[in-house]
Amino acid sequence: TFSDGVLLDEAGALDAGVLLACGRFALIASPSGLPVGCADISLSAEQGAGGCIAAACGVAPQDAWVADTNLDQFREECAALGKRLEKEQGEADVKHLHKIVRWSNLCGLVGVLSMWAAPNPLSIVALSTWTMSRWTMIAHHTCHGGYNRQDDGTGRFTSVGFAIGSLRKRVMDWFDWMLPEAWNVEHNNLHHFRLGELGDPDLVERNLATLRDMRIPKPLKYVWVGVMACIWKWYYYAPNTYKQLKIQEYKKANGGTLPEDVDEHEPFVITKFADGSTEAHSLGWGFRDYVAKVAGPYIFLRFLALPLPFLFFGPTFYTNALKNILLADVLSNIHSFVVISTNHAGEDLYKFEGSVTPKSGSFYMRQVVSSVNFKTGGDVNDFLHGWLNYQIEHHAWPQLSMLSYQKAAPELKKICEKHGVPYVQENVFIRLKRTADIMVGATSMREFKPEWNRKEDAFIWK
């Protein structure tokens, strides 16, 4: 029934939402304070329950949960679980980390000792997995501070000591196309705190806008996605993370302002050095600086110096080693592309307008509904997924260890089910197809409408 524009149940109490009618437009304000936009409303008493409200208001059934979720309670339970898991971390987590380090080192050892042979799957897969595991598991969780509280006094496996500060530490801890300091800015700060919004440097739909809008046959677009998978770290990720580091440095030195020709959200790919772009120059860097500090050391030490000892046994051994390393780099690009680019893309995941306060109810909600998990459970399975199969848990609590995410997944899933928050988990290769569909413009991310944002959780980054 209706009473002065307010939807009531038979007892006269507020139903799932409050209907505030105004002309041909109305809003449903849920108990959580999240409004759901609707128009031309004419509800019967039967339509006033739960998700039926959203359906009657023209809101897609997949979005009906927005009006029904109590974000305050959701935040409390998520925060409590994160604190408990962090408190429970200890020696077992350190031992688990060192186990993964040993597996990674074993891959490296097998690859290096066998790469003198003609190009072969054993060497290529071992070298590729060595590179990928140093990044996605060891560096990823260490740089987030997942083992800060379990520091053994050396400071190596901490967010302030791992892979940063010198080329020697970069080579010893995590040697890849990206500069660790640059990745820390792009990933740990921007991506994690601005997930799914304009300020997220990893927003796939926005970054592939040119390909999405290109008027060419879709099969050719999918081919380009395949090519990108083979080269994405050196073509896009390394230069773009370095750009974000330079933006941060420029802002600190210039009161938060940026040059007019710099678009901080525009992805920076390697070809921009040659297409007349002035962005890099305006921020005080260029191709020489990039090669000297980022790509150059990796190219020289990985592709030239690493196979060099085999030259003493003959040019064939050296050539074989180089070929294995090059093919392993392609495979490492593909492997990381499959488990990383798929984390936050798909027509069933949300994109947002505006930012929200870290650790607020809206923040936790966004980490869940804009992320996806793959098959979880078991160290071997998780190792092959680069531990990126716990992306929902990782975004909720980025400061936890790998072992903690294994414990967290079933508990967070139950919390999401309890509050009706969509928790997406699917095979990684199905997610790869969904991601490719976003990249080529076959599908689009779900829009979390601005009017659904909770005003008290709004946040403006400076």
Side-chain angles (χ1 to χ4, degrees):
T1 60
F2 290 91
S3 177
D4 296 325
V6 177
L7 184 63
L8 305 176
D9 62 15
E10 292 181 358
L14 279 173
D15 202 344
V18 178
L19 184 67
L20 304 175
C22 181
R24 291 172 57 83
F25 179 81
L27 291 175
I28 291 181
S30 74
S32 65
L34 281 173
V36 178
C38 46
D40 291 325
I41 297 175
S42 178
L43 296 181
S44 66
E46 289 78 16
Q47 289 176 311
C52 294
I53 296 177
C57 296
V59 176
Q62 300 95 319
D63 301 325
W65 63 273
V66 177
D68 299 331
T69 300
N70 188 312
L71 290 181
D72 290 326
Q73 292 180 5
F74 185 65
R75 178 192 61 78
E76 289 177 6
E77 294 188 37
C78 287
L81 177 56
K83 289 178 181 178
R84 175 168 64 79
L85 291 166
E86 188 171 12
K87 186 178 180 180
E88 290 174 353
Q89 287 191 186
E91 186 61 27
D93 298 86
V94 175
K95 289 181 178 180
H96 183 263
L97 168 65
H98 289 310
K99 173 184 175 180
I100 300 303
V101 171
R102 286 195 300 271
W103 286 11
S104 176
N105 290 342
L106 179 61
C107 290
L109 183 65
V110 171
V112 170
L113 292 181
S114 65
M115 65 185 186
W116 55 270
N120 63 93
L122 176 64
S123 300
I124 294 169
V125 171
L127 289 169
S128 170
T129 307
W130 177 38
T131 301
M132 197 273 296
S133 59
R134 298 302 296 192
W135 174 21
T136 65
M137 287 171 273
I138 302 167
H140 188 192
H141 300 95
T142 301
C143 291
H144 270 294
Y147 303 94
N148 281 5
R149 294 191 177 187
Q150 289 77 47
D151 179 28
D152 59 4
T154 65
R156 182 185 180 189
F157 290 100
T158 66
S159 58
V160 295
F162 190 82
I164 60 176
S166 70
L167 178 59
R168 181 187 67 82
K169 294 180 70 175
R170 179 184 174 190
V171 173
M172 293 295 295
D173 293 341
W174 168 33
F175 201 35
D176 210 327
W177 285 102
M178 299 77 67
L179 184 69
E181 290 88 344
W183 182 82
N184 285 342
V185 170
E186 190 269 359
H187 178 82
N188 294 2
N189 296 341
L190 297 173
H191 172 60
H192 267 266
F193 286 99
R194 307 191 68 174
L195 179 64
E197 60 181 82
L198 182 63
D200 180 1
D202 298 334
L203 186 59
V204 171
E205 185 176 279
R206 187 268 323 282
N207 288 349
L208 275 294
T210 300
L211 181 63
R212 285 171 58 84
D213 297 337
M214 201 174 292
R215 294 187 175 183
I216 60 174
K218 272 196 170 57
L220 292 181
K221 293 186 178 184
Y222 284 108
V223 170
W224 176 240
V225 171
V227 172
M228 278 294 300
C230 299
I231 64 176
W232 78 289
K233 284 197 288 183
W234 61 262
Y235 177 78
Y236 153 72
Y237 208 48
N240 195 58
T241 53
Y242 195 60
K243 170 190 171 179
Q244 295 301 329
L245 173 64
K246 289 301 177 180
I247 285 177
Q248 184 192 70
E249 292 175 349
Y250 190 95
K251 283 184 173 181
K252 286 183 177 179
N254 294 274
T257 61
L258 284 174
E260 292 183 358
D261 60 340
V262 174
D263 182 351
E264 60 184 316
H265 305 309
E266 178 73 17
F268 193 98
V269 296
I270 197 72
T271 53
K272 279 206 167 186
F273 287 118
D275 69 0
S277 172
T278 60
E279 267 196 333
H281 178 74
S282 297
L283 291 170
W285 64 293
F287 184 69
R288 289 184 179 180
D289 176 62
Y290 173 75
V291 170
K293 296 180 180 178
V294 184
Y298 188 71
I299 293 172
F300 177 76
L301 294 175
R302 178 55 59 92
F303 300 103
L304 300 178
L306 183 60
L308 191 61
F310 291 102
L311 190 59
F312 291 100
F313 301 96
T316 300
F317 290 90
Y318 176 81
T319 302
N320 285 342
L322 180 58
K323 289 178 180 178
N324 278 309
I325 293 173
L326 289 171
L327 290 171
D329 186 71
V330 173
L331 182 58
S332 179
N333 269 274
I334 295 172
H335 192 173
S336 57
F337 182 90
V338 170
V339 297
I340 293 175
S341 68
T342 51
N343 289 157
H344 307 287
E347 77 285 358
D348 52 352
L349 301 182
Y350 287 84
K351 60 183 177 181
F352 310 94
E353 287 189 26
S355 300
V356 293
T357 303
K359 306 303 179 184
S360 64
S362 296
F363 179 86
Y364 281 114
M365 175 269 293
R366 287 188 176 195
Q367 307 315 302
V368 175
V369 302
S370 194
S371 303
V372 62
N373 279 12
F374 312 134
K375 178 184 176 181
T376 57
D379 283 352
V380 173
N381 171 74
D382 296 344
F383 186 85
L384 294 175
H385 282 91
W387 237 270
L388 293 162
N389 47 336
Y390 296 96
Q391 197 64 194
I392 296 175
E393 289 72 28
H394 174 63
H395 266 262
W397 315 287
Q399 77 283 6
L400 296 183
S401 69
M402 288 181 279
L403 190 59
S404 288
Y405 292 130
Q406 291 180 330
K407 301 173 183 177
E411 295 197 53
L412 181 56
K413 189 173 184 178
K414 288 181 180 178
I415 292 174
C416 291
E417 290 174 351
K418 174 182 175 181
H419 292 278
V421 177
Y423 183 104
V424 180
Q425 185 170 19
E426 205 166 25
N427 180 277
V428 66
F429 294 107
I430 295 177
R431 298 310 305 186
L432 179 62
K433 176 58 167 62
R434 294 187 188 276
T435 299
D437 288 344
I438 293 290
M439 290 179 169
V440 304
T443 60
S444 298
M445 300 283 287
R446 294 194 66 78
E447 180 185 2
F448 195 92
K449 298 185 183 299
E451 58 265 28
W452 299 353
N453 288 323
R454 194 162 74 156
K455 292 182 179 180
E456 54 264 45
D457 289 345
F459 189 84
I460 298 177
W461 294 95
K462 297 181 179 180

